[in-house]
Amino acid sequence: MNVSYYPGCSLESTAKPYDHSTRSVCRLLEVELHEPAGWSCCGSSAALKMDRLLSVSLAANNLALTEKERFKDVLAPCPFCYRRLLSAQQEITGDPALQAKVESTIDSELRGDLKVLNTLDFFRNRVGLERIQSKVKTPLNGLKVLPYYGCYLLKPQNVTPFDDPENPVSMDEILASLGAEVLDWDFKTECCGSGLALSKTEKVVELSARLIGEAVFRSADAIVVVCQLCQANLDMRQHEIGKLHGAKYRVPIVYLTQLMGVAFGIGAKSLGLHRHLVNPQPVLRRYKG
Amino acid sequence: MLTLKGTPSEREFLHHVIRESGQNLLECLQCGKCSGGCPITSNEVGGPRRLIAEILSGMKEAALGDPTWWYCVSCGTCATRCPVEINMYKVSTVLCEIAGKEDFAPSEPDIHRFEELFLKSVEEHGRVEELQTAMIFNLRSWKPFRDATKGLQLMLKGAISFKDLLPGKKAKQTEAGRIFEKVRRDKDSGAAI
């Protein structure tokens, strides 16, 4: 299978483990990822907040680049990139005046017919559970995990309709197909504080504290994420959250693609498991193939 | 169609927000599902329902000074739960654009500073230099050592690299840089979408 791949800025800087594990897992699943040369930032939350034309144009510029590749599908693992690309495509195709304006801004034409896929939609629906299961070497039996979807993948629903916005199940299904014990909880799509990480750290601590507290209450071995902002906020703020609750927390925050890699027998180093602040390797060691 | 009361300037503000955001605030029921689910609503930050009430009442100053739209992380929870599907992050963008155009002082300078530094990095490099942006933000906020211990730990684990902190070469002219310039020119010439 061949798809375009838009990693986004974070995956080549602070979220390398997400990028590396996605690439390793795809190689094993015989998915070829084609990264369009010269992609740039999607504009992220900053452009979305400050300037609509800039925000749509930055995303559209990457859509135009990707359209030049030969593939219909583009995988965007970062949920914000995913939603920006998808939303820009919808906004442009639904508004000819905006399309003309954006095309003149980016000096390129747009077809607007790409299928933009996030990590979950891609693995659950394009690759499929059967194929994933067929690659499992060491089932993650007895590993108690909490699937944490975050907000951007699923909300607002009229932009990202691939799963239920309040109680999504696609990650649960993938984790179950790896053999893991999927725990239920009410925080699947609650916000971690997202881009306020630096500018309003106390808000991030407050919001992430609910998630970490719940994970400890449910005796989870790990929280599983598909967003590098969720990963960073939950992994980095456990010290502050501990102080808030008068406790000490060490909850591993791992990417879904890392767990897939572990079950597929890919080495910990290629998956970047040694690079998180809370080391997930002690709970994952027993699944070494 | 409702007949709007209020002074012409109050009506103009409301109409402008509705037109530019594409969100029909006149349909708002003030039910509060948005603020109930909103992650950033607190005692200090009024939340989307209150912000809509301010806009509907033509209270431009109050709306532009409301910290809600600065705090908004565009999680989309309000839009998902709203019975009339009002998407408030689109309203945030419009308020931010008006505030910028009219030089209205940001009620949340920290958030404003971060967004600006982020975009500057994108304009200069095409992609955001995350660590540099974080470091410059800490310096400008007079907190140079914020998260320094964690940064060091992550560096030792190889999660981030020291060279990413150093000012990289500025790309001469990036594709993104050209887009920034074009958008700025359009804005100066007053061309609307």
Side-chain angles (χ1 to χ4, degrees):
Chain A
M1 191 190 307
N2 285 285
V3 292
S4 295
Y5 181 61
Y6 178 77
C9 308
S10 296
L11 270 75
E12 56 169 37
S13 124
T14 52
K16 289 189 193 90
Y18 194 14
D19 180 58
H20 295 174
S21 56
T22 303
R23 288 179 193 269
S24 308
V25 164
C26 281
R27 210 169 298 131
L28 212 120
L29 289 163
E30 289 148 48
V31 174
E32 264 187 58
L33 301 174
H34 302 266
E35 191 176 329
W39 61 262
S40 53
C41 174
C42 72
S44 189
S45 52
L48 179 63
K49 174 75 59 71
M50 309 273 286
D51 192 316
R52 179 173 183 223
L53 179 61
L54 180 67
S55 170
V56 179
S57 301
L58 286 171
N61 184 45
N62 292 303
L63 289 171
L65 266 180
T66 312
E67 284 180 2
K68 291 194 182 84
E69 304 272 320
R70 288 157 294 149
F71 316 109
K72 268 251 163 298
D73 295 343
V74 51
L75 168 63
C78 162
F80 213 94
C81 297
Y82 158 73
R83 199 181 75 181
R84 278 316 301 146
L85 296 182
L86 195 57
S87 172
Q89 186 163 272
Q90 288 172 1
E91 287 174 56
I92 290 165
T93 47
D95 181 347
L98 179 67
Q99 175 157 5
K101 182 90 195 157
V102 168
E103 284 181 344
S104 107
T105 306
I106 63 172
D107 205 12
S108 190
E109 280 182 15
L110 278 163
R111 291 198 310 268
D113 60 356
L114 282 173
K115 178 85 184 143
V116 186
L117 299 165
N118 61 60
T119 301
L120 294 178
D121 197 6
F122 179 70
F123 286 115
R124 171 67 185 83
N125 302 320
R126 273 290 188 278
V127 174
L129 296 178
E130 249 173 67
R131 177 136 189 80
I132 293 173
Q133 212 157 12
S134 74
K135 294 287 177 189
V136 173
K137 272 193 189 149
T138 325
L140 304 178
N141 292 336
L143 187 71
K144 290 194 271 180
V145 290
L146 281 170
Y148 178 47
Y149 295 73
C151 23
Y152 299 130
L153 271 191
L154 299 145
K155 300 179 206 173
Q157 203 186 9
N158 53 12
V159 180
T160 58
F162 85 100
D163 202 342
D164 189 277
E166 306 284 1
N167 187 22
V169 292
S170 45
M171 190 182 346
D172 299 44
E173 289 168 343
I174 298 174
L175 286 166
S177 76
L178 302 175
E181 185 186 330
V182 186
L183 304 178
D184 193 21
W185 67 332
D186 298 330
F187 294 84
K188 282 179 168 181
T189 63
E190 288 294 309
C191 177
C192 70
S194 174
L196 296 175
L198 288 174
S199 51
K200 294 287 171 196
T201 310
E202 64 286 357
K203 193 76 211 171
V204 169
V205 171
E206 175 198 322
L207 292 170
S208 298
R210 303 178 307 166
L211 302 161
I212 298 292
E214 186 73 6
V216 171
F217 173 70
R218 293 187 186 257
S219 315
D221 291 320
I223 297 179
V224 191
V225 296
V226 280
C227 169
Q228 73 288 346
L229 263 172
C230 299
Q231 203 286 331
N233 282 339
L234 293 178
D235 193 28
M236 274 183 69
R237 298 300 165 200
Q238 292 192 32
H239 178 69
E240 287 93 328
I241 294 169
K243 272 206 254 174
L244 200 71
H245 292 177
K248 221 172 159 155
Y249 294 135
R250 302 284 294 166
V251 183
I253 314 296
V254 294
Y255 292 109
L256 173 68
T257 42
Q258 289 180 312
L259 281 192
M260 289 169 77
V262 170
F264 294 170
I266 300 171
K269 277 230 159 112
S270 342
L271 299 171
L273 282 169
H274 56 300
R275 290 184 164 163
H276 300 320
L277 270 188
V278 178
N279 186 0
Q281 292 179 95
V283 292
L284 295 174
R285 203 152 278 149
R286 54 194 153 124
Y287 304 105
K288 224 164 165 182
Chain B
M1 184 69 188
L2 284 165
T3 315
L4 289 177
K5 298 193 173 90
T7 67
S9 71
E10 288 169 348
R11 281 193 309 237
E12 171 47 32
F13 173 61
L14 169 61
H15 276 302
H16 181 85
V17 176
I18 291 175
R19 193 173 58 237
E20 294 299 317
S21 67
Q23 305 306 305
N24 190 359
L25 303 183
L26 292 171
E27 285 189 85
C28 172
L29 308 166
Q30 287 284 300
C31 71
K33 284 184 86 162
C34 50
S35 293
C38 173
I40 57 92
T41 300
S42 65
N43 288 344
E44 294 76 34
V45 181
R49 173 172 68 172
R50 186 188 166 110
L51 179 58
I52 294 177
E54 287 163 352
I55 302 169
L56 284 173
S57 317
M59 295 162 71
K60 185 173 170 184
E61 295 249 325
L64 293 182
D66 193 319
T68 302
W69 58 266
W70 274 118
Y71 265 89
C72 171
V73 291
S74 77
C75 71
T77 305
C78 57
T80 300
R81 296 184 184 169
C82 174
V84 295
E85 289 181 46
I86 291 173
N87 180 332
M88 282 305 281
Y89 69 72
K90 295 197 166 177
V91 173
S92 297
T93 310
V94 176
L95 293 175
C96 193
E97 286 179 344
I98 300 174
K101 207 165 151 193
E102 301 188 1
D103 281 326
F104 195 92
S107 61
E108 294 297 331
D110 290 345
I111 303 175
H112 177 241
R113 186 181 304 125
F114 182 77
E115 313 283 39
E116 288 223 310
L117 288 171
F118 187 101
L119 289 180
K120 189 160 172 262
S121 182
V122 176
E123 181 170 6
E124 286 177 358
H125 305 279
R127 299 176 191 176
V128 63
E129 301 275 347
E130 288 183 320
L131 291 178
Q132 257 185 56
T133 306
M135 196 175 66
I136 300 171
F137 176 79
N138 285 349
L139 289 172
R140 298 256 177 101
S141 316
W142 300 99
K143 287 175 185 161
F145 299 114
R146 173 165 44 197
D147 294 330
T149 332
K150 282 174 191 145
L152 199 63
Q153 274 174 287
L154 286 168
M155 225 173 264
L156 290 172
K157 286 172 176 262
I160 55 179
S161 139
F162 182 70
K163 69 175 188 338
D164 290 345
L165 274 174
L166 304 172
K169 263 190 286 172
K170 255 186 221 177
K172 271 216 178 97
Q173 208 193 7
T174 61
E175 190 73 30
R178 270 191 290 274
I179 293 172
F180 273 82
E181 220 165 276
K182 185 93 195 327
V183 169
R184 214 172 281 137
R185 261 206 317 270
D186 274 14
K187 210 149 268 177
D188 290 344
S189 69
I193 296 174

